[in-house]
């Protein structure tokens, strides 16, 4: 049977070599492992799977820090070793730096064993030597004169990202954001008022072994801990809730949708914001949810059915193309594709993307926003949002739109969002301040 360390290292290889999504790469490994374990080994399999998940996501999150340390002790550098050996060292260095309860000898011995398990036994002496040299030097992180380089290695956030955050928010806030992104991201769910009250939801979840409590300042929002796989819960299957970060709940509430209205969500999958809006409409009226691919639209369809939201209709549509035969809407949500740099705590691999990959996003975002505006009734509401903290994808897109479309103006967010600010209609949510993903929301009205 594979060990947790082997599972983590092999899943990390898949992410790096094949470009696999982190959650999919790990889930496949763990699913096969637990299947092979059988009923007799179920308890041990759960324990190993939990340890493998900690190692896997920890290494993804701290890769820059780990690689900087490894390079200090590897004579040939990172490029001089095989991909398998690099992952073995990353897993071992993560334990030495961030899991102090594991004995040093166990970390070294298991790393050497892993070279044999991953068919790289010729590297066992090299791995042993690198780890023991690091331990002799007191497990110290390297230091740099450049403050951005120092912060980059300390928090495993690329320098270019720190430079952007420093420009837009100041260095102190940039460091606070980085620190927040490296802490475990909280889990929030949205209570389905068609099926239960928040109090009933919390009680039901507690019965199933999940710690749950209502989030202060945001009715219907419930914070969870010790979750595990939420899909296994009876409360999930019964449609009592859907998983949704607090920031996305606020985004949906920013629409201010009311019973009997017609709402459009142009980039809707997997459907959470549509569901929250439809629940706010008491499931009366119509919430049209579109996305580009049928597979993603099917996720919306399944979620609406589970939650009992008969007011939700979904289909395939390109958010860049205007449909002249479409009706006009009271409320339109434009949650555009973005760099995703506000969800680093949940998807740590995003931080290592090439910034050039984001260069064309503001142009696409503007086109989607402009197209979305054509579906808004006179006096109707248009909400633009992203899960990133980059000004060029947020404020600059909106300000250009307002300049070129004087029939729209920014209006204050509804009272439901009041505890989080946004009185002027624009709201930037920061992880260390608001306890949410990094998120941007702007509410506009057609005159």
């Amino acid at each position: 049977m594979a060990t947790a360390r082997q599972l983590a290292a092999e899943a990390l290889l898949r992410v790096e070599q094949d470009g696999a999504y982190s959650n999919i790469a790990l889930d496949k490994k763990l699913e096969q492992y637990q299947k092979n374990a059988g009923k007799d080994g179920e308890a041990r399999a759960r324990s190993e799977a939990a340890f493998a998940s900690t190692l896997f996501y920890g290494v993804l999150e701290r890769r820059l820090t780990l690689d900087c340390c490894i390079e200090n002790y590897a004579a040939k550098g990172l490029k001089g070793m095989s991909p398998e050996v690099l992952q073995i060292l990353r897993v071992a260095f993560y334990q030495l730096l961030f899991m102090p309860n594991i004995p040093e000898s166990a970390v070294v011995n298991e790393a050497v064993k892993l070279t044999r398990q991953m068919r790289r036994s010729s590297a066992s002496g090299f791995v042993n030597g690198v780890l023991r040299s690091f331990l002799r030097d007191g497990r110290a992180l390297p230091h740099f004169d450049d403050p951005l380089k120092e912060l980059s290695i300390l928090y495993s956030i690329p320098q270019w990202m720190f430079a952007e955050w420093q420009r837009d928010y100041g260095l102190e806030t940039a460091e606070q954001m980085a620190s927040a992104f490296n802490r475990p991201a909280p889990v929030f769910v949205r209570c389905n008022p068609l099926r239960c009250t928040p109090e009933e939801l919390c009680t039901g979840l507690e019965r199933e072994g999940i710690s749950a409590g209502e989030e202060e300042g945001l009715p219907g929002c419930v914070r969870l801990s010790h979750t595990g796989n939420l899909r296994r819960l009876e409360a999930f299957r019964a449609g009592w809730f859907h998983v949704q970060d607090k920031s996305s709940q606020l985004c949906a509430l920013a629409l201010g949708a009311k019973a009997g209205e017609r709402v459009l969500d142009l980039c809707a999958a997997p459907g959470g914001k549509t569901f929250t809006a439809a629940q706010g409409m008491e499931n009366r009226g119509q919430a049209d949810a579109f996305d580009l691919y049928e597979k993603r639209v099917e996720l919306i369809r399944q979620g609406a059915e589970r939650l009992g939201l008969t007011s939700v209709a979904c289909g395939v549509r390109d958010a860049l193309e205007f449909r002249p035969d479409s009706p006009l809407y009271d409320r339109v949500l434009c949650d555009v594709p973005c760099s995703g740099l506000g969800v680093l705590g949940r998807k740590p691999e995003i931080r290592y993307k090439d910034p050039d990959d984001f260069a064309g996003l503001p142009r696409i975002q503007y086109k989607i926003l402009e197209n979305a505006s054509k579906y808004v009734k006179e006096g109707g509401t248009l909400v633009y949002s992203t899960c990133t903290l980059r000004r060029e994808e947020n404020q600059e897109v909106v300000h250009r739109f307002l300049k070129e479309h004087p029939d729209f103006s920014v209006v204050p967010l509804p009272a439901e969002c009041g505890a989080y600010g946004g009185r002027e209609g624009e709201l930037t949510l920061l992880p260390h301040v608001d306890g949410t993903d990094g998120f941007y929301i702007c509410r506009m009205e057609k005159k």
Side-chain angles (χ1 to χ4, degrees):
M1 286 285 288
T3 63
R5 293 172 174 88
Q6 185 178 346
L7 291 169
E10 289 176 348
L12 287 163
L13 267 177
R14 277 219 62 212
V15 172
E16 190 149 314
Q17 292 187 319
D18 305 336
Y21 289 112
S22 59
N23 60 326
I24 295 174
L26 182 64
D27 287 350
K28 282 187 176 178
K29 280 285 173 191
L30 296 183
E31 187 180 329
Q32 187 60 47
Y33 175 75
Q34 288 167 328
K35 187 178 177 182
N36 292 341
K39 285 193 175 179
D40 293 341
E42 196 173 316
R44 180 176 179 271
R46 278 200 303 269
S47 174
E48 289 288 289
F51 186 29
S53 298
T54 300
L55 292 174
F56 176 79
Y57 285 110
V59 169
L60 275 182
E61 187 177 272
R62 296 289 188 167
R63 200 178 80 192
L64 288 181
T65 311
L66 302 174
D67 285 0
C68 184
C69 291
I70 293 168
E71 199 153 31
N72 267 7
Y73 294 92
K76 294 182 181 178
L78 301 181
K79 293 181 180 177
M81 63 184 79
S82 72
E84 291 82 2
V85 170
L86 178 55
Q87 299 303 342
I88 291 168
L89 284 172
R90 283 172 173 167
V91 168
F93 267 78
Y94 179 78
Q95 293 166 79
L96 293 175
L97 283 168
F98 301 108
M99 302 183 79
N101 292 333
I102 300 178
E104 295 172 354
S105 57
V107 174
V108 176
N109 292 339
E110 291 299 321
V112 172
K113 280 185 195 174
L114 197 47
T115 60
R116 294 192 288 274
Q117 292 164 341
M118 297 184 71
R119 300 180 182 179
R120 289 293 180 269
S121 55
S122 60
S124 60
F126 168 73
V127 167
N128 183 65
V130 167
L131 293 174
R132 293 199 180 280
S133 295
F134 180 59
L135 289 171
R136 278 196 301 273
D137 287 348
R139 299 192 282 189
L141 288 178
H143 292 289
F144 302 91
D145 293 332
D146 181 344
L148 289 186
K149 177 73 172 176
E150 182 87 3
L151 289 171
S152 174
I153 298 304
L154 178 61
Y155 293 106
S156 195
I157 300 282
Q159 274 185 262
W160 69 264
M161 205 178 294
F162 257 117
E164 280 195 358
W165 290 349
Q166 181 186 27
R167 178 197 68 199
D168 295 340
Y169 302 99
L171 190 58
E172 183 181 351
T173 298
E175 185 171 3
Q176 290 170 335
M177 284 161 54
S179 179
F181 281 132
N182 282 348
R183 293 194 290 269
V187 177
F188 295 101
V189 299
R190 186 75 188 167
C191 175
N192 181 5
L194 304 180
R195 298 279 168 86
C196 62
T197 65
E199 295 84 358
E200 289 169 337
L201 174 59
C202 290
T203 301
L205 290 171
E206 294 279 357
R207 279 199 302 266
E208 297 196 67
I210 306 296
S211 298
E214 293 183 65
E215 186 69 3
E216 190 177 347
L218 191 57
C221 179
V222 174
R223 180 191 288 259
L224 309 184
S225 55
H226 308 107
T227 55
N229 180 8
L230 293 174
R231 291 178 177 274
R232 66 181 168 80
L233 301 176
E234 178 57 36
F236 179 86
R237 292 195 293 270
W240 282 24
F241 69 89
H242 63 276
V243 180
Q244 188 175 41
D245 185 64
K246 193 160 56 167
S247 57
S248 293
Q249 294 187 34
L250 286 164
C251 176
L253 293 172
L255 277 171
K258 295 178 173 55
E261 291 185 333
R262 186 185 286 268
V263 171
L264 171 64
D265 187 348
L266 264 181
C267 307
K273 298 180 187 70
T274 305
F275 303 153
T276 299
Q279 289 163 356
M281 295 159 62
E282 302 169 16
N283 203 28
R284 292 187 286 136
Q286 184 164 332
D288 290 339
F290 295 105
D291 212 274
L292 188 56
Y293 301 107
E294 178 57 42
K295 270 189 179 180
R296 290 172 62 76
V297 170
E298 183 57 28
L299 295 175
I300 307 171
R301 194 173 288 119
Q302 291 171 3
E305 186 176 342
R306 181 179 63 83
L307 296 165
L309 293 170
T310 54
S311 62
V312 173
C314 51
V316 175
R317 183 181 291 189
D318 188 341
L320 288 166
E321 293 179 5
F322 178 66
R323 298 287 184 91
D325 58 338
S326 170
L328 295 179
Y329 291 84
D330 300 288
R331 321 270 173 177
V332 176
L333 175 59
C334 189
D335 185 50
V336 296
C338 69
S339 57
L341 300 183
V343 294
L344 297 184
R346 301 181 194 279
K347 299 179 180 178
E349 69 272 25
I350 292 176
R351 66 184 75 194
Y352 308 118
K353 284 191 173 184
D354 187 333
D356 291 342
D357 294 346
F358 308 143
L361 283 172
R363 180 180 58 83
I364 294 169
Q365 291 158 344
Y366 180 80
K367 284 187 174 181
I368 293 175
L369 176 57
E370 192 171 47
N371 189 39
S373 70
K374 297 173 184 176
Y375 296 111
V376 183
K377 284 181 178 178
E378 286 186 8
T381 298
L382 173 64
V383 170
Y384 175 85
S385 65
T386 73
C387 58
T388 190
L389 294 168
R390 304 181 73 222
R391 288 188 64 85
E392 46 267 73
E393 297 182 56
N394 296 338
Q395 290 89 342
E396 290 179 19
V397 170
V398 166
H399 295 170
R400 177 190 168 190
F401 173 78
L402 292 170
K403 185 177 180 182
E404 296 180 13
H405 296 80
D407 52 332
F408 281 86
S409 59
V410 177
V411 292
L413 296 177
E416 297 94 320
C417 307
Y420 295 86
R423 292 179 182 82
E424 302 304 318
E426 278 188 290
L427 179 59
T428 300
L429 296 164
L430 301 176
H432 64 287
V433 175
D434 302 296
T436 66
D437 293 338
F439 214 90
Y440 173 80
I441 303 166
C442 183
R443 186 182 199 231
M444 294 165 276
E445 187 175 273
K446 188 172 184 179
K447 297 174 186 175

